[in-house]
Amino acid sequence: MWRRFATCVSIVASSLMCTGCWDSTEIDRLSIVTMTGVDVAEDGQSVLGSVQIARASELGTTGGGSPATSTGSAKAYLVESAEGPTEVEVMAKIRSSLPRKLFMGHRRVIVIGEDYARRGVGQLLDEIVRNPQSRLRTYVVVAFHEQAQKMLQVPSDLNRLPSDAVVELEQSGSVVAMDARRFAKQLTSHSDPYAMGIAMFTNEMSEASPEALTLENIAVFQRDKLVDWLQGEAAKGFLWISRDLRDDSETVTLPDNRGKVSVRLGSVRTSHHVKIVRGQPELNINLHAIFDINQNASRLNLLQPNQMDVVRKALQAKIQSQIASAMQQLQRDQADPLGVSNELFKYNPGLWRRLEPRWREVYAAMPIHYNIDINIRNAGLMSSSL
């Protein structure tokens, strides 16, 4: 009996000592950072850092449940910038200029200015990895021919926060979804990192936001420095072999002026293997994709196998041309974002140690073989174009 009583007294006494979350901070005392940018300052040496901060009071709802701030309104966020010798010093200056504590736990996007990326992103990645508030799932993008600071100031028509718009683009399945963890992993391996380019374009159809953000082109690094951009057909070719592409539509022009056919991607599987031939590595790239017919703007009857085969061969030739364009540019830049060196190191470490001192030159001259397999499974209910 006394033992039970003593236990109850101990439990009650212990509960009185609990004071809740001792280190909690109310949301109205935080500056919630949703996106950050880093550039080279005008002096060419210092770091120009920018943070996009959400206005928590503007992101609530009215009594009827509708948003208090309309989409595309710049009032939903503000951008603060500062210069300093390092990224840490920059954040300290921004923090000292704000009445509220900076909170990086909700940062969703990191934008790297092109000039900064060409100088090297090693210091930035070091700060991100060491910062306990940084989330390694934060997406990394590179400003295409522009400063990151300007990207943080462009509003979105459909999202109250521009960072949300960029995240939705990253998760669409039609671009490279590169986060800080994956970027750092590639940087510390034998391969080279890459990321999507973020660019501004004029949105003539919108009166509220004349400019908008888009993800296009692919930033290619050699170690931690940006060396080139994959654009157009080369960018699309790299998406095919990067294992990031999940949603896509293609239009192929058929030979002999027989019109055009549009297809929608159903599924895609890609792989690449290094094969040793007479002591030298060669690369085999394999792709198997399944498509559905989206639109038939040709004179073909797609229910006839021989005419469907015309579409399949035209699509196969187009995809192989895109992939070959990407690989030719990567070999010319001596950049290995595909991870060919990682595969050689894993499966033939002896040969890798022998080739490592001159690997860039070997990679640039490596023969590449393509195996593109295309299947069109659904021609629809109509055989010919209306």
Side-chain angles (χ1 to χ4, degrees), residues 26 33 77 161 169 182 222 240 254 264 322 334:
E26 297 297 331
V33 177
Y77 64 93
L161 295 175
L169 289 172
R182 184 178 173 189
Q222 192 179 99
W240 282 116
L254 304 179
R264 180 180 64 254
Q322 291 172 339
Q334 295 187 5

Side-chain angles (χ1 to χ4, degrees), residues 53 58 63 106 145 151 155 166 201 280 304 306 318 326 373:
I53 301 173
E58 299 291 338
H106 286 295
H145 298 343
M151 300 299 173
V166 177
F201 72 95
Q280 295 297 318
Q304 297 184 8
N306 62 328
K318 180 178 181 179
D373 180 31

Side-chain angles (χ1 to χ4, degrees), residues 146-206:
E146 194 54 86
Q147 281 192 317
Q149 184 186 43
K150 293 184 178 180
M151 300 299 173
L152 270 63
Q153 299 170 347
V154 179
S156 170
D157 276 342
L158 299 178
N159 301 85
R160 284 175 285 177
L161 295 175
S163 58
D164 293 341
V166 177
V167 169
E168 290 177 7
L169 289 172
E170 284 277 359
Q171 296 176 347
S172 65
S174 58
V175 299
V176 170
M178 179 63 66
D179 57 29
R181 183 192 64 84
R182 184 178 173 189
F183 192 94
K185 183 178 180 180
Q186 289 184 327
L187 185 60
T188 55
S189 68
H190 296 287
S191 64
D192 298 314
Y194 60 94
M196 285 302 303
I198 185 170
M200 293 186 296
F201 72 95
T202 302
N203 188 3
E204 298 178 352
M205 303 300 295
S206 173

Side-chain angles (χ1 to χ4, degrees), residues 236-249:
K236 191 56 175 293
F238 184 78
L239 285 176
W240 282 116
I241 54 180
S242 67
R243 301 188 180 96
D244 286 285
L245 193 63
R246 302 187 309 275
D247 185 18
D248 181 58
S249 295

Side-chain angles (χ1 to χ4, degrees), residues 328 330-334 359-367:
Q328 289 169 7
L330 292 176
Q331 286 185 298
R332 184 172 63 250
D333 296 330
Q334 295 187 5
W359 166 247
R360 298 285 180 182
E361 292 78 13
V362 173
Y363 170 77
M366 180 185 299

